[in-house]
């Protein structure tokens, strides 16, 4: 049997670090970095006699995430102890939520590889504390524990097993990332571990209704790794079944270098964690007014912006989708538009050259070093004919390296566009005299010849000639010949 004879079933458990200033049960700072063990106190180090106090902002952010994903909000919730031992978990238990999560029964809509709408159910969203971090010493042969991250607040978003391909899993995670950015509860910096996912994968023969045995890949924090890991695990599980074996329920580690999964331990079930209500924390009670006030303060979400961009700015579905996928690109678009009022040009610059440079430099949109004032001035300079599009591309490259106003950059670099008729005519006549064949081709009706001649003139002027004036003057001069 081949892969086409199997159905893939995928569910994600997404962990997002919340953007609160302090940890979930103490006043230690949550910012990323810092010397090891400098952002911790007796509470997050689990010293005897210490008591946790719940950060109210954590509850607010979790409710905000629940409302943005269509969840029901549990008005009577609680914290539970999830018992397991790991070196970077000081208490030997994690304070989480078990049977009474803050949010449940939500959903988000994504597109599959065919462009069809697919609804992915969200089982629950609950709050919990993060563990510390092990720093492995390859030379000393041991590991050192850094507790800076211990107690950083998380929400865990648990999906239903509704995804049927790695494409759907990636699109679902991108959609969640976008929503969390828009509602400003997490910075979602995957490179810093602010957004990571445990990926559950199983396969079953098509037509079967019973779920196959699942495996779980832990703490994956890049889209590329998640897609590669899912694809590898699908093939591995099918090979096991086809060879007459049985897929074991286990927790796996994905190795990005070898492109393989490796077993870490048997997969635990809920009973293995011996959950019970945390006796040091009171129950969480939410009033109708509390929930409604959070609902009223939710910002505009990606779907609403997308429809508005199509309606108000005449953008295509694809353009609107790409712009609104990132809160940072969407904000750059809106803020630039407020200054220069040119939606098409603003959209084109963001989705073409800016996105290209981000990909080349492996940067996230929130790392763009300039703001809407720089982009708006760049677009205005092109509209005024001060610089050509070719020069503007060079200015943009410079903006990523040394931030300055575009007008200052072109002044320093001597990149002002040549719009003097006399100077341009001199270049036109020289190019015509050197390219008699292209002149003949143009007269024979070959339009490409004009583009070639303009290109030669732009090359000679190092991209500084006004392209509209060049086109017009070439046509005029050749019609005289």
């Amino acid at each position: 049997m081949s892969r086409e004879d199997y159905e893939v079933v995928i569910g994600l458990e997404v962990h997002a670090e919340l953007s609160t200033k302090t940890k979930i049960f103490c006043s230690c700072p949550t910012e990323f970095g810092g010397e090891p063990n400098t952002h911790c106190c007796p509470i997050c180090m689990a010293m005897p006699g210490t008591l946790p106090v719940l950060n109210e902002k954590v509850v607010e952010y979790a409710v905000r995430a629940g409302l943005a994903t269509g969840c029901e909000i549990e008005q009577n919730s609680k914290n539970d102890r999830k018992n397991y031992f790991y070196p970077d978990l000081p208490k030997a238990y994690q304070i989480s939520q078990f049977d009474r999560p803050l949010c449940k029964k939500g959903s988000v809509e994504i597109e599959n590889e065919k462009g069809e709408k697919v609804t992915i159910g969200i089982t629950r969203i609950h709050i919990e504390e993060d563990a510390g971090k092990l720093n492995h010493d390859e030379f000393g042969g041991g590991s050192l524990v850094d507790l800076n991250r211990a107690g950083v607040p998380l929400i865990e978003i648990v999906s239903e097993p509704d995804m049927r391909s790695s494409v759907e899993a990636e699109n679902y995670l991108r959609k969640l990332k976008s929503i969390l950015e828009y509602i400003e509860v997490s910075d979602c910096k995957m490179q810093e571990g602010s957004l990571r996912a445990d990926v559950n994968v199983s396969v079953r023969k098509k037509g079967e209704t019973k779920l196959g045995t699942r495996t779980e890949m832990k703490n994956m924090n890049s889209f590329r790794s998640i897609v590669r890991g899912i694809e590898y695990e699908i093939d591995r599980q099918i090979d096991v079944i086809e060879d007459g074996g049985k897929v074991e329920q286990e927790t796996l580690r994905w190795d990005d270098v070898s492109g393989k999964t490796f077993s870490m331990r048997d997969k635990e079930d809920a009973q293995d964690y011996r959950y019970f209500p945390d006796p040091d924390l009171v129950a969480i009670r939410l009033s109708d007014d509390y929930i409604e006030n959070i609902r009223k303060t939710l910002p505009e979400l990606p779907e609403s912006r997308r429809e508005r961009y199509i309606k108000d700015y005449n953008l295509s579905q694809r353009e609107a989708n790409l712009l609104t996928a990132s809160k940072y690109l969407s904000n750059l678009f809106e803020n630039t538009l407020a200054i220069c009022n040119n939606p098409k040009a603003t959209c084109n610059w963001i989705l073409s050259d800016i996105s290209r440079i981000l990909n080349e430099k492996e940067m996230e949109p929130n790392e763009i070093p300039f703001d809407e004032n720089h982009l708006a001035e760049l677009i205005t300079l092109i509209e005024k004919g001060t610089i050509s599009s070719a020069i503007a591309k060079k200015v943009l490259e410079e903006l990523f390296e040394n931030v300055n106003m575009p007008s200052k950059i072109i002044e320093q670099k001597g990149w002002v566009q040549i719009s003097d008729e006399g100077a341009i005519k001199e270049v036109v006549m020289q190019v015509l005299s050197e390219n008699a064949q292209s002149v003949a081709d143009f007269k024979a009706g070959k339009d490409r010849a004009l583009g070639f001649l303009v290109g030669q003139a732009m090359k000679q002027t190092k991209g500084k000639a006004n392209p509209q004036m060049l086109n017009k003057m070439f046509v005029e001069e050749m019609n005289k010949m």
Side-chain angles (χ1 to χ4, degrees):
M1 298 180 79
S2 67
R3 182 166 173 170
E4 285 69 35
D5 298 311
Y6 286 85
E7 182 179 47
V8 181
V9 179
I10 301 167
L12 296 187
E13 299 167 20
V14 177
H15 294 82
E17 288 187 0
L18 299 179
S19 298
T20 56
K21 293 181 179 179
T22 57
K23 293 185 180 181
I24 187 169
F25 298 121
C26 67
S27 59
C28 290
T30 56
E31 68 246 32
F32 180 77
E35 290 297 311
N37 297 308
T38 56
H39 296 167
C40 53
C41 70
I43 293 175
C44 44
M45 293 170 67
M47 300 298 284
T50 57
L51 290 172
V53 178
L54 179 60
N55 183 342
E56 186 182 339
K57 206 72 176 173
V58 173
V59 176
E60 178 192 327
Y61 281 9
V63 171
R64 197 185 294 183
L67 293 172
T69 52
C71 287
E72 298 175 8
I73 307 302
E74 177 60 65
Q75 292 184 270
N76 297 294
S77 187
K78 62 182 173 66
N79 293 103
D80 299 285
R81 290 188 180 182
K82 179 181 181 182
N83 297 274
Y84 65 95
F85 173 76
Y86 205 66
D88 59 6
L89 192 69
K91 295 190 288 282
Y93 64 83
Q94 178 191 36
I95 300 178
S96 181
Q97 292 189 300
F98 178 45
D99 56 327
R100 303 280 284 276
L102 276 168
C103 318
K104 59 187 180 182
K105 297 180 182 176
S107 65
V108 297
E109 191 176 73
I110 63 165
E111 289 186 356
N112 62 17
E113 45 268 71
K114 297 177 183 177
E116 300 165 336
K117 302 290 185 184
V118 178
T119 299
I120 308 299
I122 291 175
T123 310
R124 56 190 281 141
I125 300 176
H126 64 260
I127 59 173
E128 62 185 22
E129 60 181 340
D130 208 346
K133 183 179 180 183
L134 287 179
N135 294 319
H136 304 292
D137 185 350
E138 295 179 13
F139 301 102
S143 297
L144 300 173
V145 181
D146 178 10
L147 296 178
N148 280 351
R149 200 174 66 183
V152 167
L154 300 173
I155 51 172
E156 181 174 347
I157 306 170
V158 182
S159 82
E160 292 287 328
D162 289 341
M163 288 157 270
R164 297 294 179 264
S165 69
S166 60
V167 172
E168 289 187 15
E170 180 182 5
N171 289 348
Y172 168 74
L173 186 56
R174 288 188 182 277
K175 182 67 172 286
L176 278 188
K177 180 176 184 286
S178 176
I179 290 171
L180 296 177
E181 287 176 347
Y182 272 83
I183 62 175
E184 298 179 345
V185 301
S186 175
D187 62 24
C188 294
K189 294 180 180 177
M190 298 181 79
Q191 71 277 15
E192 294 181 2
S194 292
L195 187 73
R196 51 193 192 268
D198 299 339
V199 183
N200 293 278
V201 179
S202 67
V203 298
R204 62 186 175 189
K205 290 179 181 175
K206 284 186 176 175
E208 291 185 356
T209 55
K210 184 181 177 182
L211 292 173
T213 303
R214 67 189 169 98
T215 59
E216 180 183 38
M217 291 177 282
K218 295 290 287 185
N219 288 326
M220 303 186 75
N221 66 344
S222 84
F223 296 114
R224 179 175 174 272
S225 294
I226 287 169
V227 170
R228 289 180 68 210
I230 290 172
E231 291 297 318
Y232 174 84
E233 191 58 17
I234 292 169
D235 290 336
R236 187 192 71 80
Q237 291 187 21
I238 292 174
D239 287 344
V240 168
I241 294 169
E242 287 294 300
D243 289 341
K246 182 182 176 184
V247 176
E248 298 293 333
Q249 181 172 314
E250 58 185 339
T251 298
L252 305 172
R253 175 180 64 85
W254 168 255
D255 183 76
D256 217 32
V257 177
S258 65
K260 296 180 180 180
T261 55
F262 297 91
S263 180
M264 291 171 64
R265 60 181 182 271
D266 291 342
K267 178 74 181 88
E268 297 89 348
D269 288 314
Q271 62 267 26
D272 297 320
Y273 292 121
R274 305 186 316 281
Y275 283 100
F276 64 87
D278 191 294
D280 294 332
L281 290 160
V282 298
I284 302 169
R285 301 281 188 261
L286 305 180
S287 68
D288 291 333
D289 287 344
Y290 177 86
I291 296 169
E292 195 55 36
N293 285 337
I294 295 175
R295 192 191 306 275
K296 287 176 181 176
T297 60
L298 281 177
E300 186 180 28
L301 293 173
E303 289 86 352
S304 174
R305 279 199 185 187
R306 184 179 65 237
E307 297 308 315
R308 183 162 56 82
Y309 289 178
I310 294 170
K311 180 183 176 183
D312 294 352
Y313 305 128
N314 201 29
L315 299 186
S316 69
Q317 182 83 31
R318 177 181 174 277
E319 289 171 333
N321 282 340
L322 290 171
L323 275 179
T324 55
S326 164
K327 171 199 166 191
Y328 302 99
L329 292 184
S330 181
N331 284 351
L332 179 61
F333 172 75
E334 295 212 347
N335 295 337
T336 303
L337 204 56
I339 301 171
C340 70
N341 195 30
N342 190 332
K344 208 65 181 175
T346 304
C347 173
N348 289 341
W349 277 100
I350 291 173
L351 296 185
S352 57
D353 292 273
I354 290 176
S355 294
R356 171 184 58 79
I357 295 170
L358 288 175
N359 288 332
E360 289 172 356
K361 295 181 178 290
E362 297 183 347
M363 294 170 62
E364 292 293 322
N366 63 293
E367 297 176 292
I368 294 173
F370 53 89
D371 62 22
E372 62 272 8
N373 295 298
H374 299 87
L375 182 56
E377 186 179 81
L378 184 69
I379 292 168
T380 302
L381 289 169
I382 300 167
E383 289 175 343
K384 288 180 177 178
T386 308
I387 56 173
S388 64
S389 293
I391 292 296
K393 290 176 186 288
K394 293 167 69 174
V395 173
L396 187 66
E397 297 275 0
E398 185 68 20
L399 279 171
F400 271 90
E401 299 300 326
N402 301 293
V403 180
N404 204 342
M405 292 308 292
S407 55
K408 294 287 185 184
I409 292 173
I410 64 172
E411 183 183 327
Q412 292 167 0
K413 301 283 186 179
W415 286 346
V416 177
Q417 182 167 267
I418 301 169
S419 295
D420 177 77
E421 282 196 27
I424 286 180
K425 184 169 184 179
E426 189 177 321
V427 174
V428 167
M429 299 311 293
Q430 183 180 340
V431 170
L432 289 174
S433 67
E434 294 172 354
N435 295 276
Q437 184 58 52
S438 293
V439 175
D441 290 342
F442 176 79
K443 285 184 166 294
K446 296 179 180 178
D447 294 336
R448 287 185 182 178
L450 177 59
F452 172 78
L453 292 168
V454 171
Q456 291 300 302
M458 292 296 283
K459 191 175 180 181
Q460 193 166 315
T461 60
K462 297 181 179 177
K464 292 196 284 185
N466 185 314
Q468 287 77 25
M469 291 182 71
L470 280 176
N471 267 284
K472 183 183 177 187
M473 202 168 289
F474 269 118
V475 172
E476 288 175 350
E477 294 301 324
M478 285 190 287
N479 283 337
K480 293 177 185 176
M481 293 179 174

